[in-house]
Amino acid sequence: MRLNLTVNGRPHQADEAWEGESLLHVLRERLGLPGSKNACEQGECGSCTVYLDDVPVCSCMVAAGQAQGRAVRTVEGLADGDRLDAVQQSFVDSGAVQCGFCTPGLLVQAHDLIERNPEPTDAEIRESLAGNLCRCTGYEKIMDAVRLAAQRKAVS
């Protein structure tokens, strides 16, 4: 099938896509956007989280055909050109980026949380990020990064 979708604000077309292949595969292999990671292929780890019509989803669980005509925003689309989003910069500044495999999904999920709730409590941060697994950290630096991002967004 020919898949037409908007990715990070720009129209894209993926030719010869199989409608049952994952949106993650389309993004990484057909459109050349490697930010979202392929870790579990079961929707359990969150490393492939992207926005689909402004709702965070595990892109490994979305069939390509379901994305036809829809809007996708990946971790690459959070930045404004060369300027990182406050969430992205806060992860860097807080040392929350370890191996980087879980980071794209955490960034999208944290971005969504702060957009919906500009002053999240620690419990709300934990609940929002509960579907994102990190094998490198004890999550404290990730929590610090989300708190910092919320503070930065509040003053901008």
Side-chain angles (χ1 to χ4, degrees):
M1 79 178 275
R2 174 173 287 156
L3 180 63
N4 293 294
L5 64 164
T6 301
V7 180
N8 299 329
R10 296 189 355 218
H12 284 273
Q13 181 175 296
D15 292 323
E16 300 179 26
W18 173 58
E19 53 190 43
E21 72 187 47
S22 71
L23 174 59
L24 175 62
H25 181 82
V26 170
L27 293 170
R28 289 180 59 82
E29 306 303 327
R30 298 192 184 277
L31 300 181
L33 296 168
S36 303
K37 303 301 183 213
N38 185 4
C40 73
E41 296 183 2
Q42 297 176 11
E44 295 292 327
C45 72
S47 67
C48 65
T49 304
V50 299
Y51 284 109
L52 181 62
D53 292 336
D54 296 322
V55 176
V57 298
C58 289
S59 60
C60 72
M61 299 301 294
V62 176
Q66 293 177 294
Q68 175 66 29
R70 297 176 75 183
V72 176
R73 189 173 182 196
T74 68
V75 68
E76 291 96 339
L78 297 181
D80 183 12
D82 290 339
R83 187 171 158 256
L84 294 178
D85 179 80
V87 174
Q88 293 170 311
Q89 190 62 57
S90 295
F91 267 65
V92 172
D93 294 346
S94 297
V97 178
Q98 297 282 312
C99 78
F101 215 74
C102 66
T103 306
L106 284 164
L107 287 168
V108 172
Q109 194 63 47
H111 182 272
D112 180 67
L113 169 65
I114 294 168
E115 289 294 310
R116 289 182 296 104
N117 180 359
E119 297 179 16
T121 64
D122 283 0
E124 291 167 330
I125 294 170
R126 283 189 192 93
E127 181 178 343
S128 179
L129 301 182
N132 297 79
L133 302 179
C134 176
R135 293 177 177 92
C136 297
T137 70
Y139 293 95
E140 198 53 43
K141 290 185 182 230
I142 294 167
M143 293 288 293
D144 292 343
V146 177
R147 288 185 208 108
L148 180 60
Q151 291 170 359
R152 287 178 172 173
K153 285 210 174 207
V155 297
S156 64

mmCIF file of all heavy atoms in Angstrom, residues 85-133:
data_model
loop_
_atom_site.group_PDB
_atom_site.id
_atom_site.type_symbol
_atom_site.label_atom_id
_atom_site.label_comp_id
_atom_site.label_asym_id
_atom_site.label_seq_id
_atom_site.Cartn_x
_atom_site.Cartn_y
_atom_site.Cartn_z
ATOM 1 N N ASP A 85 13.724 20.999 22.727
ATOM 2 C CA ASP A 85 12.586 21.285 23.582
ATOM 3 C C ASP A 85 13.073 21.298 25.039
ATOM 4 O O ASP A 85 14.088 20.676 25.367
ATOM 5 C CB ASP A 85 11.529 20.195 23.384
ATOM 6 C CG ASP A 85 10.311 20.409 24.255
ATOM 7 O OD1 ASP A 85 9.459 21.232 23.886
ATOM 8 O OD2 ASP A 85 10.213 19.756 25.320
ATOM 9 N N ALA A 86 12.333 21.966 25.907
ATOM 10 C CA ALA A 86 12.720 22.045 27.328
ATOM 11 C C ALA A 86 12.874 20.663 27.943
ATOM 12 O O ALA A 86 13.767 20.438 28.769
ATOM 13 C CB ALA A 86 11.691 22.858 28.110
ATOM 14 N N VAL A 87 12.041 19.719 27.552
ATOM 15 C CA VAL A 87 12.148 18.360 28.087
ATOM 16 C C VAL A 87 13.461 17.727 27.633
ATOM 17 O O VAL A 87 14.191 17.131 28.438
ATOM 18 C CB VAL A 87 10.939 17.499 27.667
ATOM 19 C CG1 VAL A 87 11.117 16.058 28.105
ATOM 20 C CG2 VAL A 87 9.649 18.065 28.239
ATOM 21 N N GLN A 88 13.769 17.848 26.356
ATOM 22 C CA GLN A 88 15.017 17.280 25.829
ATOM 23 C C GLN A 88 16.233 17.886 26.520
ATOM 24 O O GLN A 88 17.134 17.169 26.956
ATOM 25 C CB GLN A 88 15.096 17.503 24.317
ATOM 26 C CG GLN A 88 14.053 16.727 23.539
ATOM 27 C CD GLN A 88 13.986 17.155 22.088
ATOM 28 O OE1 GLN A 88 13.906 18.348 21.781
ATOM 29 N NE2 GLN A 88 14.011 16.186 21.188
ATOM 30 N N GLN A 89 16.260 19.211 26.632
ATOM 31 C CA GLN A 89 17.399 19.881 27.250
ATOM 32 C C GLN A 89 17.517 19.521 28.726
ATOM 33 O O GLN A 89 18.620 19.351 29.251
ATOM 34 C CB GLN A 89 17.289 21.400 27.074
ATOM 35 C CG GLN A 89 18.548 22.148 27.473
ATOM 36 C CD GLN A 89 19.746 21.750 26.621
ATOM 37 O OE1 GLN A 89 19.705 21.861 25.398
ATOM 38 N NE2 GLN A 89 20.813 21.277 27.250
ATOM 39 N N SER A 90 16.396 19.356 29.387
ATOM 40 C CA SER A 90 16.414 18.997 30.805
ATOM 41 C C SER A 90 16.965 17.594 31.026
ATOM 42 O O SER A 90 17.664 17.339 32.014
ATOM 43 C CB SER A 90 15.006 19.116 31.400
ATOM 44 O OG SER A 90 14.595 20.469 31.376
ATOM 45 N N PHE A 91 16.670 16.670 30.118
ATOM 46 C CA PHE A 91 17.239 15.324 30.224
ATOM 47 C C PHE A 91 18.759 15.386 30.088
ATOM 48 O O PHE A 91 19.480 14.721 30.835
ATOM 49 C CB PHE A 91 16.640 14.395 29.167
ATOM 50 C CG PHE A 91 15.441 13.617 29.648
ATOM 51 C CD1 PHE A 91 14.261 14.258 30.002
ATOM 52 C CD2 PHE A 91 15.480 12.241 29.734
ATOM 53 C CE1 PHE A 91 13.159 13.543 30.438
ATOM 54 C CE2 PHE A 91 14.391 11.506 30.173
ATOM 55 C CZ PHE A 91 13.222 12.169 30.527
ATOM 56 N N VAL A 92 19.242 16.189 29.160
ATOM 57 C CA VAL A 92 20.687 16.348 28.976
ATOM 58 C C VAL A 92 21.302 16.972 30.228
ATOM 59 O O VAL A 92 22.274 16.462 30.780
ATOM 60 C CB VAL A 92 20.995 17.197 27.722
ATOM 61 C CG1 VAL A 92 22.473 17.525 27.644
ATOM 62 C CG2 VAL A 92 20.543 16.479 26.458
ATOM 63 N N ASP A 93 20.727 18.079 30.677
ATOM 64 C CA ASP A 93 21.284 18.817 31.803
ATOM 65 C C ASP A 93 21.223 18.036 33.118
ATOM 66 O O ASP A 93 22.063 18.254 34.003
ATOM 67 C CB ASP A 93 20.550 20.155 31.973
ATOM 68 C CG ASP A 93 20.772 21.096 30.803
ATOM 69 O OD1 ASP A 93 21.698 20.851 29.987
ATOM 70 O OD2 ASP A 93 20.002 22.070 30.678
ATOM 71 N N SER A 94 20.262 17.135 33.254
ATOM 72 C CA SER A 94 20.108 16.363 34.488
ATOM 73 C C SER A 94 20.879 15.049 34.474
ATOM 74 O O SER A 94 20.860 14.311 35.461
ATOM 75 C CB SER A 94 18.623 16.061 34.739
ATOM 76 O OG SER A 94 17.907 17.253 34.923
ATOM 77 N N GLY A 95 21.512 14.744 33.358
ATOM 78 C CA GLY A 95 22.222 13.476 33.251
ATOM 79 C C GLY A 95 21.282 12.284 33.188
ATOM 80 O O GLY A 95 21.629 11.175 33.592
ATOM 81 N N ALA A 96 20.073 12.499 32.658
ATOM 82 C CA ALA A 96 19.072 11.441 32.596
ATOM 83 C C ALA A 96 19.233 10.552 31.365
ATOM 84 O O ALA A 96 18.529 9.561 31.231
ATOM 85 C CB ALA A 96 17.668 12.047 32.608
ATOM 86 N N VAL A 97 20.159 10.903 30.486
ATOM 87 C CA VAL A 97 20.394 10.103 29.289
ATOM 88 C C VAL A 97 21.563 9.170 29.572
ATOM 89 O O VAL A 97 22.688 9.617 29.754
ATOM 90 C CB VAL A 97 20.717 11.007 28.076
ATOM 91 C CG1 VAL A 97 21.002 10.171 26.844
ATOM 92 C CG2 VAL A 97 19.584 11.992 27.824
ATOM 93 N N GLN A 98 21.276 7.894 29.643
ATOM 94 C CA GLN A 98 22.326 6.901 29.875
ATOM 95 C C GLN A 98 22.688 6.287 28.522
ATOM 96 O O GLN A 98 23.309 6.934 27.710
ATOM 97 C CB GLN A 98 21.838 5.849 30.873
ATOM 98 C CG GLN A 98 21.527 6.422 32.239
ATOM 99 C CD GLN A 98 22.766 6.689 33.067
ATOM 100 O OE1 GLN A 98 23.640 5.852 33.190
ATOM 101 N NE2 GLN A 98 22.842 7.862 33.644
ATOM 102 N N CYS A 99 22.242 5.077 28.267
ATOM 103 C CA CYS A 99 22.562 4.438 26.979
ATOM 104 C C CYS A 99 21.741 5.061 25.856
ATOM 105 O O CYS A 99 22.113 4.974 24.700
ATOM 106 C CB CYS A 99 22.327 2.932 27.045
ATOM 107 S SG CYS A 99 20.602 2.414 26.924
ATOM 108 N N GLY A 100 20.610 5.676 26.203
ATOM 109 C CA GLY A 100 19.799 6.374 25.207
ATOM 110 C C GLY A 100 18.710 5.537 24.574
ATOM 111 O O GLY A 100 17.920 6.046 23.797
ATOM 112 N N PHE A 101 18.642 4.266 24.891
ATOM 113 C CA PHE A 101 17.651 3.414 24.235
ATOM 114 C C PHE A 101 16.232 3.753 24.658
ATOM 115 O O PHE A 101 15.324 3.801 23.833
ATOM 116 C CB PHE A 101 17.961 1.936 24.493
ATOM 117 C CG PHE A 101 17.630 1.075 23.322
ATOM 118 C CD1 PHE A 101 18.426 1.079 22.196
ATOM 119 C CD2 PHE A 101 16.497 0.286 23.326
ATOM 120 C CE1 PHE A 101 18.122 0.300 21.104
ATOM 121 C CE2 PHE A 101 16.170 -0.500 22.234
ATOM 122 C CZ PHE A 101 16.985 -0.493 21.121
ATOM 123 N N CYS A 102 16.012 4.002 25.924
ATOM 124 C CA CYS A 102 14.672 4.326 26.418
ATOM 125 C C CYS A 102 14.343 5.810 26.273
ATOM 126 O O CYS A 102 13.180 6.203 26.349
ATOM 127 C CB CYS A 102 14.542 3.932 27.881
ATOM 128 S SG CYS A 102 15.601 4.910 28.986
ATOM 129 N N THR A 103 15.354 6.613 26.066
ATOM 130 C CA THR A 103 15.204 8.072 26.119
ATOM 131 C C THR A 103 14.146 8.627 25.175
ATOM 132 O O THR A 103 13.341 9.467 25.602
ATOM 133 C CB THR A 103 16.563 8.755 25.879
ATOM 134 O OG1 THR A 103 17.512 8.225 26.808
ATOM 135 C CG2 THR A 103 16.468 10.255 26.042
ATOM 136 N N PRO A 104 14.075 8.225 23.910
ATOM 137 C CA PRO A 104 13.056 8.817 23.035
ATOM 138 C C PRO A 104 11.633 8.652 23.558
ATOM 139 O O PRO A 104 10.848 9.606 23.550
ATOM 140 C CB PRO A 104 13.244 8.070 21.710
ATOM 141 C CG PRO A 104 14.658 7.627 21.733
ATOM 142 C CD PRO A 104 14.949 7.297 23.163
ATOM 143 N N GLY A 105 11.316 7.453 24.032
ATOM 144 C CA GLY A 105 9.979 7.231 24.565
ATOM 145 C C GLY A 105 9.719 8.014 25.835
ATOM 146 O O GLY A 105 8.631 8.557 26.038
ATOM 147 N N LEU A 106 10.721 8.067 26.708
ATOM 148 C CA LEU A 106 10.586 8.862 27.930
ATOM 149 C C LEU A 106 10.375 10.337 27.609
ATOM 150 O O LEU A 106 9.571 11.014 28.251
ATOM 151 C CB LEU A 106 11.824 8.690 28.809
ATOM 152 C CG LEU A 106 11.923 7.386 29.579
ATOM 153 C CD1 LEU A 106 13.338 7.168 30.092
ATOM 154 C CD2 LEU A 106 10.917 7.353 30.726
ATOM 155 N N LEU A 107 11.101 10.834 26.616
ATOM 156 C CA LEU A 107 10.969 12.248 26.240
ATOM 157 C C LEU A 107 9.559 12.558 25.735
ATOM 158 O O LEU A 107 8.958 13.566 26.135
ATOM 159 C CB LEU A 107 11.995 12.606 25.159
ATOM 160 C CG LEU A 107 13.441 12.702 25.624
ATOM 161 C CD1 LEU A 107 14.382 12.764 24.430
ATOM 162 C CD2 LEU A 107 13.642 13.897 26.540
ATOM 163 N N VAL A 108 9.031 11.712 24.872
ATOM 164 C CA VAL A 108 7.682 11.942 24.341
ATOM 165 C C VAL A 108 6.656 11.869 25.464
ATOM 166 O O VAL A 108 5.777 12.729 25.578
ATOM 167 C CB VAL A 108 7.348 10.956 23.206
ATOM 168 C CG1 VAL A 108 5.876 11.063 22.792
ATOM 169 C CG2 VAL A 108 8.256 11.200 22.000
ATOM 170 N N GLN A 109 6.776 10.862 26.323
ATOM 171 C CA GLN A 109 5.812 10.707 27.410
ATOM 172 C C GLN A 109 5.908 11.857 28.409
ATOM 173 O O GLN A 109 4.888 12.372 28.859
ATOM 174 C CB GLN A 109 6.037 9.371 28.118
ATOM 175 C CG GLN A 109 4.899 8.975 29.020
ATOM 176 C CD GLN A 109 3.600 8.751 28.278
ATOM 177 O OE1 GLN A 109 3.574 8.080 27.261
ATOM 178 N NE2 GLN A 109 2.526 9.315 28.772
ATOM 179 N N ALA A 110 7.128 12.287 28.755
ATOM 180 C CA ALA A 110 7.305 13.416 29.673
ATOM 181 C C ALA A 110 6.785 14.708 29.036
ATOM 182 O O ALA A 110 6.155 15.529 29.721
ATOM 183 C CB ALA A 110 8.774 13.564 30.058
ATOM 184 N N HIS A 111 7.037 14.881 27.758
ATOM 185 C CA HIS A 111 6.530 16.056 27.031
ATOM 186 C C HIS A 111 5.013 16.102 27.123
ATOM 187 O O HIS A 111 4.411 17.145 27.410
ATOM 188 C CB HIS A 111 6.999 15.997 25.575
ATOM 189 C CG HIS A 111 6.591 17.162 24.760
ATOM 190 N ND1 HIS A 111 5.396 17.208 24.085
ATOM 191 C CD2 HIS A 111 7.216 18.342 24.513
ATOM 192 C CE1 HIS A 111 5.298 18.359 23.442
ATOM 193 N NE2 HIS A 111 6.387 19.065 23.689
ATOM 194 N N ASP A 112 4.375 14.966 26.886
ATOM 195 C CA ASP A 112 2.916 14.905 26.948
ATOM 196 C C ASP A 112 2.409 15.239 28.345
ATOM 197 O O ASP A 112 1.460 15.999 28.504
ATOM 198 C CB ASP A 112 2.426 13.520 26.526
ATOM 199 C CG ASP A 112 0.920 13.424 26.591
ATOM 200 O OD1 ASP A 112 0.246 14.112 25.789
ATOM 201 O OD2 ASP A 112 0.408 12.677 27.445
ATOM 202 N N LEU A 113 3.050 14.678 29.358
ATOM 203 C CA LEU A 113 2.641 14.953 30.734
ATOM 204 C C LEU A 113 2.671 16.444 31.023
ATOM 205 O O LEU A 113 1.705 17.017 31.537
ATOM 206 C CB LEU A 113 3.556 14.217 31.722
ATOM 207 C CG LEU A 113 3.400 14.623 33.199
ATOM 208 C CD1 LEU A 113 2.019 14.249 33.721
ATOM 209 C CD2 LEU A 113 4.505 14.011 34.037
ATOM 210 N N ILE A 114 3.782 17.095 30.686
ATOM 211 C CA ILE A 114 3.930 18.519 31.010
ATOM 212 C C ILE A 114 2.978 19.385 30.189
ATOM 213 O O ILE A 114 2.504 20.407 30.664
ATOM 214 C CB ILE A 114 5.405 18.942 30.858
ATOM 215 C CG1 ILE A 114 6.244 18.214 31.908
ATOM 216 C CG2 ILE A 114 5.567 20.449 30.986
ATOM 217 C CD1 ILE A 114 7.735 18.327 31.693
ATOM 218 N N GLU A 115 2.679 18.959 28.973
ATOM 219 C CA GLU A 115 1.693 19.699 28.169
ATOM 220 C C GLU A 115 0.306 19.626 28.815
ATOM 221 O O GLU A 115 -0.437 20.589 28.805
ATOM 222 C CB GLU A 115 1.634 19.147 26.740
ATOM 223 C CG GLU A 115 2.859 19.461 25.913
ATOM 224 C CD GLU A 115 3.028 20.951 25.640
ATOM 225 O OE1 GLU A 115 2.054 21.598 25.205
ATOM 226 O OE2 GLU A 115 4.138 21.470 25.876
ATOM 227 N N ARG A 116 -0.034 18.465 29.359
ATOM 228 C CA ARG A 116 -1.337 18.261 29.994
ATOM 229 C C ARG A 116 -1.382 18.794 31.419
ATOM 230 O O ARG A 116 -2.429 19.229 31.902
ATOM 231 C CB ARG A 116 -1.708 16.776 30.021
ATOM 232 C CG ARG A 116 -2.058 16.178 28.687
ATOM 233 C CD ARG A 116 -2.474 14.716 28.778
ATOM 234 N NE ARG A 116 -1.384 13.843 29.239
ATOM 235 C CZ ARG A 116 -1.266 13.334 30.447
ATOM 236 N NH1 ARG A 116 -2.151 13.564 31.364
ATOM 237 N NH2 ARG A 116 -0.235 12.567 30.765
ATOM 238 N N ASN A 117 -0.240 18.720 32.109
ATOM 239 C CA ASN A 117 -0.167 19.079 33.522
ATOM 240 C C ASN A 117 1.142 19.814 33.769
ATOM 241 O O ASN A 117 2.167 19.182 34.024
ATOM 242 C CB ASN A 117 -0.248 17.805 34.376
ATOM 243 C CG ASN A 117 -0.178 18.090 35.858
ATOM 244 O OD1 ASN A 117 -0.050 19.231 36.293
ATOM 245 N ND2 ASN A 117 -0.246 17.029 36.654
ATOM 246 N N PRO A 118 1.133 21.145 33.691
ATOM 247 C CA PRO A 118 2.376 21.917 33.785
ATOM 248 C C PRO A 118 3.104 21.819 35.126
ATOM 249 O O PRO A 118 4.281 22.142 35.204
ATOM 250 C CB PRO A 118 1.930 23.357 33.536
ATOM 251 C CG PRO A 118 0.570 23.276 32.950
ATOM 252 C CD PRO A 118 -0.016 21.983 33.403
ATOM 253 N N GLU A 119 2.416 21.387 36.174
ATOM 254 C CA GLU A 119 3.038 21.273 37.489
ATOM 255 C C GLU A 119 2.775 19.883 38.076
ATOM 256 O O GLU A 119 2.106 19.745 39.092
ATOM 257 C CB GLU A 119 2.501 22.356 38.422
ATOM 258 C CG GLU A 119 2.830 23.769 37.960
ATOM 259 C CD GLU A 119 2.265 24.840 38.888
ATOM 260 O OE1 GLU A 119 1.877 24.516 40.028
ATOM 261 O OE2 GLU A 119 2.210 26.000 38.461
ATOM 262 N N PRO A 120 3.344 18.844 37.464
ATOM 263 C CA PRO A 120 3.053 17.489 37.952
ATOM 264 C C PRO A 120 3.733 17.193 39.284
ATOM 265 O O PRO A 120 4.835 17.654 39.561
ATOM 266 C CB PRO A 120 3.624 16.596 36.851
ATOM 267 C CG PRO A 120 4.740 17.401 36.258
ATOM 268 C CD PRO A 120 4.274 18.830 36.330
ATOM 269 N N THR A 121 3.043 16.429 40.098
ATOM 270 C CA THR A 121 3.636 15.942 41.347
ATOM 271 C C THR A 121 4.533 14.753 41.018
ATOM 272 O O THR A 121 4.473 14.204 39.910
ATOM 273 C CB THR A 121 2.540 15.472 42.327
ATOM 274 O OG1 THR A 121 1.867 14.348 41.747
ATOM 275 C CG2 THR A 121 1.538 16.593 42.623
ATOM 276 N N ASP A 122 5.332 14.342 41.974
ATOM 277 C CA ASP A 122 6.178 13.175 41.761
ATOM 278 C C ASP A 122 5.332 11.935 41.453
ATOM 279 O O ASP A 122 5.694 11.123 40.599
ATOM 280 C CB ASP A 122 7.074 12.911 42.969
ATOM 281 C CG ASP A 122 8.267 13.861 43.022
ATOM 282 O OD1 ASP A 122 8.397 14.727 42.130
ATOM 283 O OD2 ASP A 122 9.073 13.718 43.960
ATOM 284 N N ALA A 123 4.210 11.806 42.144
ATOM 285 C CA ALA A 123 3.336 10.655 41.897
ATOM 286 C C ALA A 123 2.789 10.695 40.467
ATOM 287 O O ALA A 123 2.697 9.649 39.803
ATOM 288 C CB ALA A 123 2.190 10.629 42.907
ATOM 289 N N GLU A 124 2.437 11.871 39.989
ATOM 290 C CA GLU A 124 1.927 11.999 38.616
ATOM 291 C C GLU A 124 3.019 11.715 37.581
ATOM 292 O O GLU A 124 2.752 11.119 36.539
ATOM 293 C CB GLU A 124 1.329 13.393 38.410
ATOM 294 C CG GLU A 124 0.053 13.595 39.195
ATOM 295 C CD GLU A 124 -0.401 15.052 39.282
ATOM 296 O OE1 GLU A 124 0.462 15.968 39.254
ATOM 297 O OE2 GLU A 124 -1.617 15.261 39.397
ATOM 298 N N ILE A 125 4.238 12.130 37.881
ATOM 299 C CA ILE A 125 5.353 11.833 36.974
ATOM 300 C C ILE A 125 5.563 10.325 36.911
ATOM 301 O O ILE A 125 5.669 9.749 35.826
ATOM 302 C CB ILE A 125 6.652 12.539 37.429
ATOM 303 C CG1 ILE A 125 6.498 14.062 37.314
ATOM 304 C CG2 ILE A 125 7.838 12.057 36.589
ATOM 305 C CD1 ILE A 125 7.626 14.852 37.964
ATOM 306 N N ARG A 126 5.599 9.679 38.062
ATOM 307 C CA ARG A 126 5.800 8.221 38.097
ATOM 308 C C ARG A 126 4.689 7.493 37.342
ATOM 309 O O ARG A 126 4.952 6.561 36.588
ATOM 310 C CB ARG A 126 5.866 7.725 39.538
ATOM 311 C CG ARG A 126 7.180 7.998 40.208
ATOM 312 C CD ARG A 126 7.266 7.287 41.574
ATOM 313 N NE ARG A 126 8.407 7.793 42.291
ATOM 314 C CZ ARG A 126 8.375 8.810 43.163
ATOM 315 N NH1 ARG A 126 7.235 9.421 43.420
ATOM 316 N NH2 ARG A 126 9.470 9.223 43.765
ATOM 317 N N GLU A 127 3.460 7.924 37.555
ATOM 318 C CA GLU A 127 2.333 7.279 36.878
ATOM 319 C C GLU A 127 2.432 7.466 35.362
ATOM 320 O O GLU A 127 2.227 6.525 34.595
ATOM 321 C CB GLU A 127 1.011 7.839 37.385
ATOM 322 C CG GLU A 127 -0.197 7.179 36.737
ATOM 323 C CD GLU A 127 -1.514 7.705 37.265
ATOM 324 O OE1 GLU A 127 -1.538 8.332 38.343
ATOM 325 O OE2 GLU A 127 -2.521 7.500 36.581
ATOM 326 N N SER A 128 2.772 8.662 34.932
ATOM 327 C CA SER A 128 2.875 8.944 33.502
ATOM 328 C C SER A 128 3.979 8.130 32.838
ATOM 329 O O SER A 128 3.825 7.679 31.698
ATOM 330 C CB SER A 128 3.121 10.439 33.280
ATOM 331 O OG SER A 128 3.240 10.719 31.905
ATOM 332 N N LEU A 129 5.083 7.949 33.540
ATOM 333 C CA LEU A 129 6.235 7.237 32.968
ATOM 334 C C LEU A 129 6.232 5.744 33.275
ATOM 335 O O LEU A 129 7.180 5.037 32.901
ATOM 336 C CB LEU A 129 7.541 7.861 33.476
ATOM 337 C CG LEU A 129 7.751 9.340 33.161
ATOM 338 C CD1 LEU A 129 9.104 9.802 33.688
ATOM 339 C CD2 LEU A 129 7.611 9.627 31.681
ATOM 340 N N ALA A 130 5.180 5.244 33.898
ATOM 341 C CA ALA A 130 5.138 3.842 34.324
ATOM 342 C C ALA A 130 5.268 2.860 33.162
ATOM 343 O O ALA A 130 5.766 1.752 33.348
ATOM 344 C CB ALA A 130 3.849 3.564 35.092
ATOM 345 N N GLY A 131 4.878 3.243 31.976
ATOM 346 C CA GLY A 131 4.978 2.355 30.820
ATOM 347 C C GLY A 131 6.300 2.433 30.086
ATOM 348 O O GLY A 131 6.465 1.824 29.033
ATOM 349 N N ASN A 132 7.231 3.186 30.624
ATOM 350 C CA ASN A 132 8.546 3.351 29.998
ATOM 351 C C ASN A 132 9.610 2.731 30.892
ATOM 352 O O ASN A 132 9.820 3.183 32.011
ATOM 353 C CB ASN A 132 8.850 4.834 29.776
ATOM 354 C CG ASN A 132 7.882 5.473 28.817
ATOM 355 O OD1 ASN A 132 6.762 5.811 29.189
ATOM 356 N ND2 ASN A 132 8.289 5.629 27.583
ATOM 357 N N LEU A 133 10.268 1.709 30.376
ATOM 358 C CA LEU A 133 11.279 1.000 31.151
ATOM 359 C C LEU A 133 12.677 1.491 30.813
ATOM 360 O O LEU A 133 13.005 1.702 29.655
ATOM 361 C CB LEU A 133 11.196 -0.503 30.873
ATOM 362 C CG LEU A 133 9.859 -1.159 31.155
ATOM 363 C CD1 LEU A 133 9.914 -2.637 30.800
ATOM 364 C CD2 LEU A 133 9.443 -0.959 32.602
#
